Amino acid sequence: MNLGDEHMTDETREVYRAKVAERQAKEDALVQKRIEEASDYVGTFRAERETKLRDVTMPKNREGEHAFLEALETAAESDATWARVLSLVDTEPDAWGGVDLARLRAVLIKKKAEETQALAA
């Protein structure tokens, strides 16, 4: 019972309960309608996403993968060891978030020079 219910007449109590039940029914109907709309939207979104994935993204990724594998095979066939190493290392600053790659390049050049000296000796 709500506060003050003891002072209400039976008729007033029934009217109040009927109004509350009516409001609750309207709210339940509205909630159910929104749930159905959301469910329809999610279904449509998933279908569109799957279609885009299947028709656009997957072929694009396959093409990129084939190009990468061909470049990797070409680099692996090369006799220059350091050409193969550099083909595996991305030395573009954008790939590293704009980080200065001078130290990385210096280390790679130093190692290449050390190997060249070892082979010459």
Side-chain angles (χ1 to χ4, degrees):
M1 280 191 154
N2 291 336
L3 188 63
D5 268 357
E6 63 273 357
H7 300 293
M8 295 175 73
T9 63
D10 289 338
E11 183 181 326
T12 308
R13 228 180 257 125
E14 288 302 317
V15 170
Y16 176 74
R17 287 184 183 145
K19 284 183 181 181
V20 169
E22 182 182 339
R23 285 183 189 161
Q24 187 64 42
K26 286 180 182 179
E27 287 179 17
D28 290 344
L30 184 61
V31 167
Q32 188 62 33
K33 178 183 173 189
R34 296 247 168 98
I35 288 173
E36 289 172 5
E37 289 173 354
S39 178
D40 291 343
Y41 176 78
V42 168
T44 304
F45 174 78
R46 285 185 178 161
E48 288 174 0
R49 182 172 178 260
E50 187 172 322
T51 301
K52 179 183 175 191
L53 178 69
R54 184 179 55 248
D55 296 342
V56 177
T57 307
M58 288 174 70
K60 182 180 173 185
N61 287 346
R62 278 192 210 105
E63 290 171 8
E65 181 182 9
H66 288 302
F68 175 75
L69 290 176
E70 287 175 8
L72 196 60
E73 288 175 11
T74 304
E77 293 171 358
S78 173
D79 290 334
T81 306
W82 283 98
R84 287 184 288 185
V85 170
L86 285 176
S87 71
L88 296 173
V89 177
D90 191 0
T91 57
E92 294 297 319
D94 294 339
W96 293 76
V99 175
D100 183 23
L101 299 175
R103 175 78 177 134
L104 174 65
R105 288 189 198 102
V107 169
L108 290 174
I109 291 170
K110 180 181 176 186
K111 289 295 182 181
K112 179 181 177 183
E114 287 174 2
E115 181 181 313
T116 305
Q117 288 175 356
L119 289 175

